[in-house]
Amino acid sequence: QVQLVESGGGLVQAGGSLRLSCAASVRTLSDYTMGWFRQAPGSEREFVATINWTGSTTYYSDSVKGRFTISRDNAKNTLYLQMNSLKPEDTAVYYCAALLSKLSRLYTSPDRYKYWGQGTQVTVSS
């Protein structure tokens, strides 16, 4: 059973930065394609970023491209999301997700991901 635990959320002013972490209780994180999603109140879960199993390929939503960076440390079984130049519209619960895949293809639909963390709240004040 894969367990994912996010941390690093909090309250930050617009223009500030936060770094989210996702610790995975797996034997080998490199077996998984990983992603970050977010969900604001009253909205559907939204794709943020994804990264392939080696970390060599990433893909971002247009709303965060150039501001957020997804990365992973397979040796530490940890996924990261560095968020810079935060905006009030980035306010949401952020979730990490895992998909058992070592293919180069990346996925943006939450339906593709089997394992999810409990989420961490990010609030950006104006």
Side-chain angles (χ1 to χ4, degrees):
Q1 182 70 14
V2 176
Q3 290 189 323
L4 304 173
V5 179
E6 302 95 336
S7 61
L11 173 64
V12 63
Q13 289 188 332
S17 298
L18 282 175
R19 188 195 195 200
L20 305 184
S21 297
C22 173
S25 63
V26 295
R27 181 175 172 180
T28 309
L29 188 64
S30 60
D31 286 342
Y32 297 85
T33 293
M34 303 295 294
W36 285 100
F37 292 79
R38 67 187 182 186
Q39 189 167 18
S43 300
E44 294 185 351
R45 194 161 296 189
E46 174 190 21
F47 165 75
V48 174
T50 182
I51 188 167
N52 76 329
W53 65 283
T54 65
S56 62
T57 306
T58 58
Y59 184 75
Y60 299 90
S61 68
D62 288 343
S63 61
V64 307
K65 194 176 299 181
R67 300 187 298 122
F68 291 10
T69 302
I70 188 172
S71 62
R72 64 193 295 161
D73 186 336
N74 287 339
K76 295 183 178 180
N77 279 1
T78 304
L79 175 73
Y80 302 100
L81 185 68
Q82 178 66 43
M83 306 186 295
N84 298 329
S85 303
L86 282 161
K87 305 175 181 179
E89 51 264 44
D90 294 319
T91 295
V93 177
Y94 283 71
Y95 299 89
C96 69
L99 163 66
L100 185 62
S101 173
K102 298 187 77 166
L103 300 177
S104 59
R105 182 174 180 177
L106 298 176
Y107 298 93
T108 62
S109 171
D111 294 341
R112 287 285 189 171
Y113 293 80
K114 182 176 181 179
Y115 305 102
W116 292 85
Q118 84 290 347
T120 185
Q121 176 70 47
V122 172
T123 303
V124 184
S125 63
S126 56

